[in-house]
Each structure stands twice: as structure tokens, then as C-alpha cells.
Amino acid sequence: MIEDAPVQPTKSRTRATKDAVFDYCNELKAGGFKGDYCQAVAANFNAGNSTVTPHIKAWRATLPSGGSWPMDESTQATVNSFVSQIWEATCELAQHKLAVETLDLKTKLRNAHEIIAQYSTTHDELTGQLALEKENTVAQANDAYKTASELAGMQEELREARKSLQAFEALKVEHEMLHKQLRETELKFSKLEGKYEAMMEKRGDV
């Protein structure tokens, strides 16, 4: 296991090419190297950090997404502190968001209760109006039935009156006929009475 950078590097110290840096970094990683890769690679190739750093970054980019690369304790502590700050900020943001959403839900719930109360009041009013309209409808139906009954009675009375009028007209005609017959009878009686008186006078003259 490689714990520190090799004292006698096997790689060329003259050219820190990309492929050479990749190969050396792979060897360090395979050996479980825990130190600073930039320093180790720079020392191995006798090159500056500005030369090897881009290659090391490119090499790290090729590592699997779930992988990690070793770092020194100070860097790890910095990363941990940064992650902790991010976590605290995230939790605070989540709590703030939860508080806002809770307040929003409470407001919506209060508004919903108000709307329900309004609908309930409107429902009660409409129910009362419907009941009143039903009562009015029943009363109107009763009035209509009563009126219809009265009208039927009046129609029956009218028929009876017409029958009576027809009977009266018939009696009137009959009365006129009887009156005419009476006048004729009176006229005949008067003529007969005249003849009788004339006969009596003649008999008295004899």
C-alpha cells in the first residue's frame, strides 16, 4: 500500500503529460494514497502545481460518480464545515418554507371555513325560501281548488237557472194560450148571453 509519494518515482520527471499524470494518479489511488495528489504528482514529475492541477482535475472528472478521492484532514474539515453550513441553511430554509406553507394552509383553511359558512347561510336562506314557496304553492293550489269548486257550483246554478227560465218560458207560452182561450171563451159566452137575452125579450113580447 502506498502511503506517501514514492521517493524514487518510476515515471519520467521531464514531462507531466496528461496520460502520465492519469497513470500516476491511478497508481496512487490503487495503493490507497491519502495525501495531497497535487503535491505528490508535482514532486513525481518535478513540475509545478499549475502544470499538474488541470490534469488531476481532468482525472478526477473520470472517476465514477459514486466515488471519492482522498483529501487531507484540513480539506476534509473545510468540506465538512461547508457541508454542515449547507445542511443548516437547507434545514432553516425548509423550516421557513414549512412555516410559510403552514401559514398559507391556515389562511386557506380559514378562507374555506368562511366560504363554507357563507354557503351554509345561503343554503339556509334558500331552504327557507323554498319552504315558503311550497307553502305559497300549496295555498295557491288550495285557493285554485276552492275557486274551481265555486265555479263548478256557479255553473250548476246557472244550468238550473237556465232550466227554470226555459220552464218559465214554457209556462208563459202556456199561460198566453190559456189567456187567449179564456178570452175566446168569454167572447163566446158574451155572444151566447146576448142571444139568450134577445130570446127572453122576444118571449116577453109574445
Side-chain angles (χ1 to χ4, degrees):
M1 178 180 295
I2 302 175
E3 295 183 354
D4 296 314
V7 178
Q8 298 294 330
T10 58
K11 298 292 182 178
S12 173
R13 296 176 180 274
T14 56
R15 295 187 62 189
T17 62
K18 179 179 179 180
D19 292 338
V21 172
F22 272 40
D23 291 340
Y24 187 63
C25 287
N26 288 331
E27 289 181 9
L28 293 176
K29 186 176 184 301
F33 179 67
K34 302 298 184 181
D36 190 329
Y37 273 70
C38 289
Q39 293 181 1
V41 173
N44 182 72
F45 291 102
N46 193 21
N49 289 340
S50 61
T51 300
V52 299
T53 297
H55 299 327
I56 294 175
K57 288 183 178 180
W59 168 75
R60 285 174 174 169
T62 63
L63 296 177
S65 58
S68 60
W69 54 86
M71 61 182 68
D72 54 30
E73 294 181 358
S74 61
T75 303
Q76 185 66 47
T78 301
V79 171
N80 292 341
S81 176
F82 182 68
V83 171
S84 178
Q85 292 176 10
I86 292 177
W87 176 252
E88 292 178 359
T90 302
C91 291
E92 184 178 356
L93 178 61
Q95 291 176 355
H96 178 69
K97 183 177 180 181
L98 179 61
V100 172
E101 291 179 351
T102 301
L103 180 61
D104 184 57
L105 288 176
K106 288 182 179 179
T107 302
K108 290 182 179 179
L109 181 61
R110 184 170 60 253
N111 293 338
H113 282 310
E114 293 177 357
I115 293 174
I116 291 174
Q118 293 177 359
Y119 278 130
S120 178
T121 302
T122 303
H123 176 269
D124 293 340
E125 292 177 354
L126 292 177
T127 301
Q129 292 179 2
L130 180 60
L132 182 60
E133 290 179 358
K134 285 183 178 180
E135 292 178 0
N136 293 335
T137 301
V138 171
Q140 292 175 358
N142 292 335
D143 292 342
Y145 178 77
K146 181 179 179 181
T147 302
S149 299
E150 293 176 353
L151 181 60
M154 293 177 65
Q155 289 176 343
E156 183 64 25
E157 292 178 0
L158 181 60
R159 284 194 294 269
E160 294 296 329
R162 286 176 177 174
K163 289 181 181 179
S164 299
L165 180 60
Q166 291 175 354
F168 175 77
E169 293 293 337
L171 289 174
K172 183 179 178 180
V173 172
E174 184 178 359
H175 175 74
E176 289 179 352
M177 292 178 61
L178 290 175
H179 188 67
K180 182 179 180 181
Q181 291 176 0
L182 178 61
R183 285 197 304 271
E184 292 177 351
T185 302
E186 288 177 348
L187 182 61
K188 289 180 180 180
F189 179 79
S190 179
K191 290 180 178 180
L192 290 174
E193 186 179 16
K195 288 181 179 182
Y196 176 76
E197 291 178 354
M199 290 175 60
M200 292 300 292
E201 288 179 357
K202 286 181 180 181
R203 291 181 65 179
D205 290 341
V206 176

